[in-house]
Amino acid sequence: MKFTGSDDRLTLSFAPRTHTLKSSGRISDVFLCRHEKIFHPNKGYVYVVKVMRENAHEATYIQRTFEEFQELHNKLRLLFPSSQLPSFPSRFVIGRSRGEAVAERRREELNRYIRHLTHEAPEVAECDLVYTFFHPLPRDEKAAGTSPAPKSSDGSWARPVGKVGGEVKLSISYKNNKLFIMVMHIRGLQLLQDGNDPDPYVKIYLLPDPQKTTKKKTKVARKTCNPTYNEMLVYDGIPKGDLQQRELQLSVLSEQGFWENVLLGEVHIRLRELDLAQEKTGWFALGSRSHETL
């Protein structure tokens, strides 16, 4: 399928240029990560979309509104019969649902739509309309910043690191093959590079975890260097003997909305060094990488 500038049916109103599989690279995965509230040019929500391509070292992130997804679907309907396309989520909202709840529900529905679309026949999934839609626009590059994500010493892509510091208060206990980690407070986080307060949350893994199946997270606190969570994170089915071989990796990150979340501090806790016959509560120093005990 070829686009012509004179045929508006085959172009997207928000895309200044046409892109193809050949020019952009084959898409291997697409996922709507989250929704973000916007106020310009209109008040509403955009969806942050992670796009992975074959033979690419990093993902690209784009922003698209529900209306832009709907435009893509409407243009595809002009080119292909409905039987070749997945059904599109309804734009109508029944009842008095809150904006955030509607945006999150639509994110889930759009993820299902995109998953089906990218697995349709090649003439649909690999057409120019689809590849143009998922190609970064100038506004995406502006939102992401002009500098790429930093590389680690071995050349691989690494998580952006802000100024690390502060302490996290935890309460850790073990009973009936369950490990309980109460994330209580954090104090003394550093400001972001732009001088603003972070939007911090806590993420933990129980190492070793090569498949990343033990990830747990707290809610996100807004605009604070001293958040309070009081959230209990529980690992079930952990034998006591296995516990001795485990290490708790706790990271504090700032949710950045569009770009990669920023690491604010990290601590590694060897569980064998704790006497978990009793509940242990204390403060842990956050660094770039450290081993601490209570």
Side-chain angles (χ1 to χ4, degrees), residues 30-34 47-50 69 107 110-111 114:
V30 178
F31 181 72
L32 278 70
C33 303
R34 63 180 75 89
Y47 297 92
V48 179
V49 185
K50 180 180 181 180
F69 276 100
R107 184 187 72 84
L110 287 170
N111 261 328
I114 292 303

Side-chain angles (χ1 to χ4, degrees), residues 73-294:
H73 181 71
N74 289 340
K75 296 291 175 68
L76 287 171
R77 288 178 61 195
L78 297 175
L79 296 168
F80 304 104
S82 297
S83 60
Q84 288 186 263
L85 299 173
S87 59
F88 190 79
S90 172
R91 68 172 292 113
F92 297 105
V93 178
I94 300 174
R96 302 176 62 183
S97 300
R98 295 176 61 86
E100 288 278 348
V102 172
E104 179 59 21
R105 188 173 76 238
R106 282 180 169 174
R107 184 187 72 84
E108 295 173 357
E109 292 172 344
L110 287 170
N111 261 328
R112 285 194 292 270
Y113 173 79
I114 292 303
R115 184 168 62 250
H116 287 297
L117 179 64
T118 54
H119 287 84
E120 293 289 353
E123 61 265 26
V124 176
E126 298 175 359
C127 76
D128 294 359
L129 264 178
V130 170
Y131 272 75
T132 298
F133 183 87
F134 289 117
H135 192 88
L137 301 172
R139 72 182 186 208
D140 299 321
E141 294 165 0
K142 181 179 179 181
T146 55
S147 58
K151 285 187 177 181
S152 62
S153 58
D154 64 358
S156 61
W157 295 98
R159 178 179 298 282
V161 179
K163 295 179 181 178
V164 299
E167 298 175 291
V168 58
K169 187 176 184 181
L170 302 175
S171 178
I172 304 175
S173 58
Y174 178 78
K175 186 177 181 180
N176 298 330
N177 285 349
K178 292 183 179 180
L179 178 64
F180 300 90
I181 300 151
M182 171 73 85
V183 181
M184 303 171 75
H185 311 287
I186 299 178
R187 62 189 180 193
L189 292 176
Q190 301 298 301
L191 296 176
L192 299 174
Q193 290 184 346
D194 59 9
N196 291 321
D197 287 329
D199 291 331
Y201 68 95
V202 173
K203 179 172 68 174
I204 63 173
Y205 289 98
L206 200 56
L207 305 180
D209 182 16
Q211 303 301 321
K212 303 290 186 182
T213 58
T214 64
K215 180 173 73 172
K216 296 184 182 295
K217 297 192 297 185
T218 67
K219 65 180 183 294
V220 178
R222 297 299 177 188
K223 304 301 179 188
T224 177
C225 290
N226 302 284
T228 293
Y229 298 99
N230 289 327
E231 288 191 47
M232 182 69 78
L233 306 176
V234 182
Y235 288 104
D236 198 358
I238 308 291
K240 191 170 184 178
D242 184 38
L243 198 67
Q244 302 301 311
Q245 311 303 319
R246 296 298 190 108
E247 179 177 295
L248 185 68
Q249 174 187 295
L250 181 147
S251 305
V252 181
L253 303 109
S254 179
E255 185 182 67
Q256 292 303 98
F258 182 75
W259 198 235
E260 190 81 12
N261 295 340
V262 174
L263 180 67
L264 300 175
E266 187 172 281
V267 62
H268 289 244
I269 304 165
R270 298 187 186 101
L271 296 179
R272 66 175 179 271
E273 296 177 1
L274 304 181
D275 179 11
L276 292 179
Q278 300 179 9
E279 181 177 345
K280 299 295 182 181
T281 302
W283 290 92
F284 291 86
L286 295 167
S288 54
R289 177 171 169 80
S290 58
H291 292 266
E292 298 287 340
T293 58
L294 285 167

